[in-house]
Amino acid sequence: MDAQPPTTSRPPQSKADYVYGVLLDDIRSSRIPGGSPLRAAAVAERLGVSITPVREALRRLEKDRLINYERHHGATVVDLSDAALVEYYHVRAVLEGLGAKLAAARITAEELDRLRALHASMVGNADAGRNELLGEQSQELHLAITDIGGPAYLGAHARSVRESFPVPRTASLWLNDEHVRGHLRAHEELLAALAAGDGDTAERIMIDHVRLSAGFRLGIGDE
């Protein structure tokens, strides 16, 4: 009898992980909007689990700064202000801008080819009117660049910042045809700067590109 290759099994997802994943997706998609109360008993009943994993999931969401606790009110989904939105985008601009600057000095031909392939996919999706795919692809591109520039710390910090702010998928600027071409042009210029090893230009393009979205969201004209 032929020997069978060893199999590796993924440990089952814990109930707390399951609850956390469901609530995280609900918050990010605005199915649970900012300001909504999160009652542990109601969540447990809805998801068919006990109170214990719900409380653990809520503690994780609090650590992520997506919910807060108020005395006599319990857990509430954070309703972020315009000031918090501006701060979020400016922190992103600093982290992702630095990532782009550092990436220009260390990016390999293979990494650049992967970024170009992702950009080409985005252009194809935009041409076909598949704008709903562009937001996640843009995030993938930005974080890939930051990972290249700062694989030890910077990439993880950039992810943490993005995960701390529940921008709904339905609010993506990539859904707006007026913004798509400008964002794609910024990505094209960014990749050209990376290919040229021009860190200062790559940083400037990334910062301007990220800050622009903050202005669009707030109606003042500055991602």
Side-chain angles (χ1 to χ4, degrees):
M1 178 182 287
D2 294 336
Q4 296 296 317
T7 59
T8 57
S9 59
R10 180 179 299 176
Q13 185 183 43
S14 73
K15 290 181 179 179
D17 288 340
Y18 164 65
V19 175
Y20 174 79
V22 171
L23 293 179
L24 184 63
D25 188 62
D26 284 346
I27 292 171
R28 287 180 176 168
S29 64
S30 279
R31 286 191 294 271
I32 303 178
S36 300
L38 277 179
R39 303 289 180 253
V43 172
E45 182 177 359
R46 171 195 163 201
L47 299 181
V49 298
S50 68
I51 290 289
T52 300
V54 174
R55 287 174 175 162
E56 182 178 336
L58 292 178
R59 284 194 294 269
R60 290 173 63 182
L61 291 169
E62 183 183 26
K63 185 177 180 181
D64 293 339
R65 299 184 299 279
L66 294 177
I67 67 171
N68 58 35
Y69 281 92
E70 296 182 21
R71 192 174 183 182
H72 306 308
H73 292 281
T76 303
V77 178
V78 171
D79 191 5
L80 293 168
S81 64
D82 286 352
L85 181 66
V86 170
E87 184 177 343
Y88 162 75
Y89 277 107
H90 278 275
V91 172
R92 266 192 56 197
V94 171
L95 289 174
E96 295 176 23
L98 178 58
K101 180 175 184 176
L102 297 176
R106 66 194 312 168
I107 193 168
T108 66
E110 182 180 4
E111 289 168 337
L112 189 58
D113 285 344
R114 286 200 297 269
L115 294 176
R116 285 170 169 161
L118 179 55
H119 175 67
S121 176
M122 293 184 69
V123 172
N125 284 330
D127 289 343
R130 295 188 291 265
N131 291 16
E132 72 279 2
L133 302 178
L134 298 177
E136 289 190 9
Q137 287 187 304
S138 176
Q139 176 171 301
E140 182 182 352
L141 182 76
H142 281 233
L143 292 178
I145 292 171
T146 311
D147 282 336
I148 292 167
Y153 301 106
L154 203 56
H157 284 303
R159 279 177 174 75
S160 177
V161 169
R162 282 190 179 251
E163 291 172 359
S164 72
F165 196 99
V167 176
R169 296 185 183 94
T170 54
S172 172
L173 294 176
W174 288 96
L175 296 175
N176 188 324
D177 288 330
E178 294 181 7
H179 300 314
V180 167
R181 293 302 165 185
H183 286 328
L184 288 174
R185 187 162 52 250
H187 284 180
E188 185 176 350
E189 294 171 354
L190 178 58
L191 295 182
L194 293 175
D198 186 346
D200 290 339
T201 298
E203 182 180 32
R204 176 183 56 76
I205 293 170
M206 181 67 91
I207 288 174
D208 290 346
H209 173 51
V210 172
R211 285 181 176 171
L212 187 62
S213 286
F216 283 139
R217 289 192 186 282
L218 294 170
I220 57 177
D222 248 1
E223 179 186 292

